[in-house]
Amino acid sequence: MAKALFGHVGGPDPRMVSEMRRLQQRVRDLEAELARLQAENDALAAGSHDEDMLVLDREPALA
């Protein structure tokens, strides 16, 4: 049964190992992008606490 679950006696499939490494790298890349975007969002949120920074002169919506 272990052979059936594992695939074959020769060890892990090289394609599977390659795909796992690619996916792990993609997860690391996405985590880094998430951290960068969170930091950017935090910086923007910290700068928007000023009431003067709000855009009050928006153009009126077309009716």
Side-chain angles (χ1 to χ4, degrees), residues 7-18:
H8 54 61
V9 180
D13 183 8
R15 293 171 295 180
M16 181 78 72
V17 172
S18 174

Side-chain angles (χ1 to χ4, degrees), residues 8-39:
H8 54 61
V9 180
D13 183 8
R15 293 171 295 180
M16 181 78 72
V17 172
S18 174
E19 181 69 5
M20 285 295 293
R21 286 187 182 135
R22 186 187 70 79
L23 290 172
Q24 288 170 340
Q25 182 60 48
R26 179 72 174 138
V27 167
R28 284 190 295 269
D29 293 345
L30 289 172
E31 288 172 338
E33 184 176 356
L34 176 63
R36 181 186 62 81
L37 289 173
Q38 285 176 330

